Amino acid sequence: MTTTPQSYATFSIESGCLCFGELHNIWSGSLVPIQGFPSIQPDRSGTVKAHRLKFNIPARNGTWQAFQLVDIETEVVSGWFLWHSDVDPGREIARILRVSGSPYEPDSGSTMNNEKTRAEGVLVINRYDWGYYDARCRDEMDEELGGPDPERRTADVEFSESVGVVDYAQAKSQVAAWKVQSPDRQCGCEAGVWMRIPVAEYKIGRFGFNDDRVAHSFLFFSGGTHFTQTSLAGHSRPLREPETDVESRKVSDFLESRATGQSVVIEEFVSGIARVVAYLISEVLEVSSNAAICSQRYGIVPADIRISVYSDPELYDVFQYSTVLWKGHE
């Protein structure tokens, strides 16, 4: 594999705004006024947390580049990265992954939009925020343009593998053009690009904003994207360096920072802490498994863990102040 990333397409933004998502999402974004920097909170009603997006955001005018992300071993497309021509792609990807990377990888920052992501200039888009899960304007688009799009007519799966990004001023006309094309023929144009991840289980997006609160990058990936084994097409370096013994490293750093001038065998402390954690986990799983069986379930759910810990005086004494246990992890 060469060491020079291979560009997939270039396009131009001229309206100061872009629309994004599946075809009906883009159509929806084209019907509302140009939005400012998004300041949204997840909707906590029901069992699923989701953001209600407007599907258009302020974007930097000028030339943008589109690059495919590929699995280093198989060279199969596993994501996409778009950026304005003035952006340093390496630094920008690293920044986005630090603030809000894949929710399926460790140390990946926030999984929802919050004060931290806003301060860092990153817009978080998760699987339930777009596409199939947000059907606004789908029927209106079909009625105006004539029937469902080819992907919905021909696909055997329920969910799309693709999203697009296009200049706000050209959004409706480009949706009409993309709509009559089959999914494997939808591609780039002068005002945007259509991106497909084969067999994408979940679709996830992250927009990066500059100091002026204008978007200048977009990272599109799926639940199956592993950034430690993913690179820009034509490049051999992974987007994220593999981490080994992450938790041990954190504990070691913590102990070393407080052991200045003292003789401490860090490895022994880490090993001891690991044994304690393993014991606690085994105890929690044992009582939670019993609770699940009593409820005639074959698997453990969060309620089993919480009820079991609450009912066990010794475990409750250990975990009573655990935010993750009682409120979950965001």
Side-chain angles (χ1 to χ4, degrees):
M1 183 178 286
T2 64
T3 59
T4 303
Q6 301 168 356
S7 175
Y8 176 83
T10 60
F11 61 95
S12 297
I13 298 296
E14 299 179 352
S15 66
C17 175
L18 59 78
C19 298
F20 62 92
E22 289 190 23
L23 294 181
H24 65 281
N25 299 144
I26 296 175
W27 189 270
S28 176
S30 72
L31 299 179
V32 298
I34 295 177
Q35 304 296 299
F37 176 73
S39 179
I40 56 177
Q41 294 283 353
D43 181 0
R44 297 179 181 272
S45 62
T47 58
V48 174
K49 291 183 180 180
H51 304 98
R52 190 170 178 83
L53 305 172
K54 296 293 186 180
F55 297 109
N56 82 47
I57 57 171
R60 190 172 176 186
N61 284 335
T63 301
W64 286 56
Q65 300 187 64
F67 281 72
Q68 293 178 325
L69 308 181
V70 299
D71 184 280
I72 294 175
E73 293 185 0
T74 65
E75 298 190 17
V76 173
V77 175
S78 59
W80 294 73
F81 188 57
L82 317 180
W83 69 84
H84 188 275
S85 57
D86 288 342
V87 170
D88 181 329
R91 290 185 178 182
E92 183 67 4
I93 291 178
R95 182 180 77 91
I96 292 175
L97 293 180
R98 173 180 57 81
V99 176
S100 180
S102 171
Y104 305 102
E105 292 187 334
D107 290 344
S108 293
S110 303
T111 60
M112 291 285 176
N113 288 294
N114 52 36
E115 293 298 330
K116 179 180 179 181
T117 58
R118 282 191 288 275
E120 295 277 4
V122 173
L123 174 64
V124 178
I125 305 171
N126 293 325
R127 56 180 291 203
Y128 295 114
D129 299 339
W130 54 356
Y132 168 86
Y133 299 101
D134 191 321
R136 284 175 292 168
C137 290
R138 175 178 285 168
D139 293 338
E140 293 89 332
M141 179 192 71
D142 289 344
E143 182 177 351
E144 184 164 340
L145 299 181
D149 61 81
E151 190 160 40
R152 290 172 59 203
R153 289 200 302 265
T154 61
D156 293 328
V157 295
E158 188 174 30
F159 310 114
S160 165
E161 302 171 337
S162 312
V163 298
V165 166
V166 63
D167 186 273
Y168 177 85
Q170 306 295 325
K172 294 186 74 172
S173 61
Q174 189 56 48
V175 166
W178 276 331
K179 194 170 186 295
V180 298
Q181 300 171 354
S182 61
D184 59 341
R185 293 183 179 275
Q186 294 167 333
C187 55
C189 62
E190 292 184 358
V193 65
W194 190 257
M195 299 165 285
R196 177 173 178 263
I197 303 176
V199 198
E201 184 175 4
Y202 306 134
K203 293 186 300 187
I204 302 169
R206 303 287 188 258
F207 276 103
F209 292 76
N210 61 17
D211 293 339
D212 296 326
R213 288 298 190 254
V214 175
H216 64 182
S217 67
F218 178 59
L219 179 63
F220 172 48
F221 57 99
S222 77
T225 305
H226 303 290
F227 289 105
T228 55
Q229 59 189 56
T230 298
S231 68
L232 292 167
H235 203 280
S236 58
R237 182 176 180 179
L239 299 177
R240 189 178 182 195
E241 293 297 330
E243 296 186 11
T244 58
D245 298 326
V246 177
E247 299 305 324
S248 295
R249 176 177 52 79
K250 286 183 177 180
V251 174
S252 295
D253 292 343
F254 174 82
L255 293 174
E256 288 176 351
S257 68
R258 286 158 175 77
T260 305
Q262 301 181 36
S263 177
V264 178
V265 182
I266 300 298
E267 290 75 12
E268 292 184 5
F269 275 91
V270 173
S271 178
I273 292 173
R275 287 194 293 270
V276 171
V277 171
Y279 169 76
L280 289 173
I281 291 175
S282 66
E283 289 293 306
V284 170
L285 290 177
E286 181 179 352
V287 295
S288 301
S289 177
N290 293 335
I293 293 173
C294 291
S295 300
Q296 298 182 334
R297 280 192 296 271
Y298 292 101
I300 298 172
V301 299
D304 295 325
I305 298 175
R306 292 179 179 128
I307 292 173
S308 299
V309 170
Y310 185 80
S311 303
D312 188 299
E314 293 182 352
L315 290 177
Y316 180 77
D317 187 55
V318 174
F319 292 106
Q320 60 179 311
Y321 300 113
S322 171
T323 302
V324 173
L325 178 65
W326 304 115
K327 295 185 178 181
H329 176 64
E330 294 187 359

